[in-house]
Amino acid sequence: MDKFEQAFQNKLDNEEKIEPKDWMPEKYRKTLIRQISQHAHSEIVGMLPEGNWITRAPSMRRKIGLLAKVQDEAGHGLYLYSAAETLGIDRAELFDQLHSGIAKYSSIFNYPTISWSDIGAIGWLVDGAAIMNQVMLTRASYGPYARAMVRICKEESFHQRQGYEMMVSLANGTEEQKEMAQDSLNRWWWPSLMMFGPSNAESTHSAQSMAWKIKRKSNDDLRQQFVDVTVPQAEYLGLKIPDDKLKWNEERGHYDFGEINWDEFWEVVKGNGPCNKERLETRVKAHENGAWVREAAMAYSEKLNTAVNHK
């Protein structure tokens, strides 16, 4: 190692944060840009399945709660884009990568929300899986990413509780409402397990990210942790996890569960999911329709800077 590589490794070994002005390997920088930008894209695209139900929420309380959640997710995207920019990439380039299909976002957001109970299932399962993955990121080796995750995790935790409370209401409601809750669980369970990414043997990035202490746990370990926590919650609701192979393994101290359909996962990642095309088209349209707002903000900023400099 040269002195720069040694200083970088020493910081990792001593659990010190790597900051934007510190020397870092180019591969580390590119890995962070890929991971943080995909995370940011997921927050922004993740607004779409839920935004679809804002005007159809069953009560004012539910409408306000959903509006607040979607607003939080927009904020998460902005925090993460800002963190990515500290690595020397422009936000406009990140948007171009998303809109052109070069950059990916979480596969979970390419599934449709066909009933109100899906909003509860997303809060409970999708945000629950996100928290499982993101809590460890508050200890990521890159400082701006780790600090952004502290606030994001607090808000995601509230989203998960909000979703579970909705599922409690449905599961304890009419027979039709409980059937809605079960149907949503049936459709969102397996995509939620896919959120953690491919198995350890198939993952091309996980091992290196763990070596650099960007991640702290493997995809499979996080997936197992999610199953162990979520199954008792489903039992409390009186709902059945859609997995005939699910059972408690006394020797392992964990739940055994069935095989994930990885063919489906890779098809969605490649852009062939139920809503891939719709999600990207909606996102691109929103970006184009908002161009005048960005232009006006930039014009005002330049005018303000000119006025300040003349004083």
Side-chain angles (χ1 to χ4, degrees):
M1 288 187 184
D2 62 26
K3 64 178 182 180
F4 296 108
E5 292 173 318
Q6 188 62 59
F8 173 80
Q9 189 61 49
N10 288 343
K11 282 202 166 189
L12 293 183
D13 293 342
N14 295 328
E15 296 291 341
E16 297 177 34
K17 299 300 182 193
I18 307 299
E19 298 296 344
K21 292 185 178 180
D22 293 341
W23 183 91
M24 63 188 74
E26 183 62 14
K27 191 175 178 181
Y28 176 84
R29 188 183 75 86
K30 289 183 176 179
T31 295
L32 281 167
I33 290 174
R34 177 192 57 79
Q35 181 171 333
I36 297 173
S37 65
Q38 286 185 5
H39 193 164
H41 299 329
S42 298
E43 296 285 355
I44 298 301
V45 176
M47 298 162 62
L48 300 177
E50 295 172 312
N52 182 46
W53 280 90
I54 289 175
T55 59
R56 295 181 287 167
S59 69
M60 183 60 70
R61 173 174 174 262
R62 295 299 189 194
K63 186 188 295 287
I64 292 171
L66 186 55
L67 276 167
K69 182 184 179 185
V70 171
Q71 184 179 26
D72 284 348
E73 289 163 349
H76 297 172
L78 295 179
Y79 304 152
L80 292 165
Y81 284 130
S82 295
E85 285 180 311
T86 66
L87 292 158
I89 188 167
D90 185 73
R91 190 173 307 198
E93 183 178 350
L94 296 175
F95 287 154
D96 287 342
Q97 291 174 357
L98 171 63
H99 299 160
S100 65
I102 294 174
K104 304 299 182 182
Y105 53 87
S106 180
S107 61
I108 193 76
F109 300 119
N110 289 311
Y111 290 86
T113 46
I114 63 177
S115 73
W116 171 253
S117 60
D118 285 0
I119 302 304
I122 288 174
W124 172 34
L125 300 174
V126 176
D127 292 322
I131 292 166
M132 206 67 71
N133 191 44
Q134 292 172 8
V135 165
M136 68 169 181
L137 294 175
T138 63
R139 297 170 52 226
S141 58
Y142 188 58
Y145 193 23
R147 290 189 287 273
M149 291 312 305
V150 172
R151 177 169 178 173
I152 290 174
C153 283
K154 289 179 180 178
E155 293 176 351
E156 291 287 8
S157 179
F158 186 82
H159 298 167
Q160 193 273 344
R161 293 172 66 89
Q162 182 185 40
Y164 191 67
E165 187 268 338
M166 291 169 62
M167 296 298 282
V168 169
S169 296
L170 290 165
N172 289 288
T174 65
E175 190 61 33
E176 182 180 6
Q177 288 173 324
K178 187 169 183 177
E179 289 175 2
M180 286 174 59
Q182 181 65 61
D183 177 63
S184 292
L185 172 57
N186 292 345
R187 287 183 289 103
W188 289 93
W189 174 252
W190 291 105
S192 295
L193 295 191
M194 297 176 194
M195 279 183 67
F196 296 98
S199 63
N200 295 345
E202 296 293 326
S203 177
T204 57
H205 302 291
S206 188
Q208 183 60 74
S209 291
M210 290 177 66
W212 279 327
K213 298 186 178 180
I214 299 170
K215 291 179 61 172
R216 298 287 177 155
K217 294 183 179 180
S218 72
N219 295 348
D220 287 337
D221 287 344
L222 289 167
R223 191 168 10 250
Q224 182 68 67
Q225 186 179 348
F226 174 74
V227 172
D228 291 344
V229 168
T230 309
V231 170
Q233 295 173 350
E235 291 174 349
Y236 177 82
L237 292 172
L239 301 178
K240 184 180 185 303
I241 299 291
D243 181 357
D244 293 336
K245 295 183 179 179
L246 182 71
K247 64 178 181 179
W248 178 254
N249 187 319
E250 196 68 43
E251 292 184 3
R252 293 177 59 239
H254 296 287
Y255 282 96
D256 293 334
F257 54 93
E259 181 65 24
I260 293 170
N261 184 348
W262 291 114
D263 289 340
E264 176 184 330
F265 171 78
W266 290 115
E267 278 299 299
V268 176
V269 170
K270 291 175 184 176
N272 301 319
C275 297
N276 286 70
K277 184 178 179 181
E278 175 188 341
R279 296 286 184 253
L280 203 54
E281 287 179 349
T282 302
R283 173 59 201 153
V284 171
K285 182 179 179 181
H287 185 73
E288 292 174 348
N289 289 345
W292 70 272
V293 178
R294 296 189 297 276
E295 291 167 3
M298 288 300 297
Y300 177 78
S301 175
E302 291 171 2
K303 184 177 180 180
L304 183 62
N305 287 336
T306 300
V308 170
N309 291 334
H310 285 169
K311 284 187 177 181

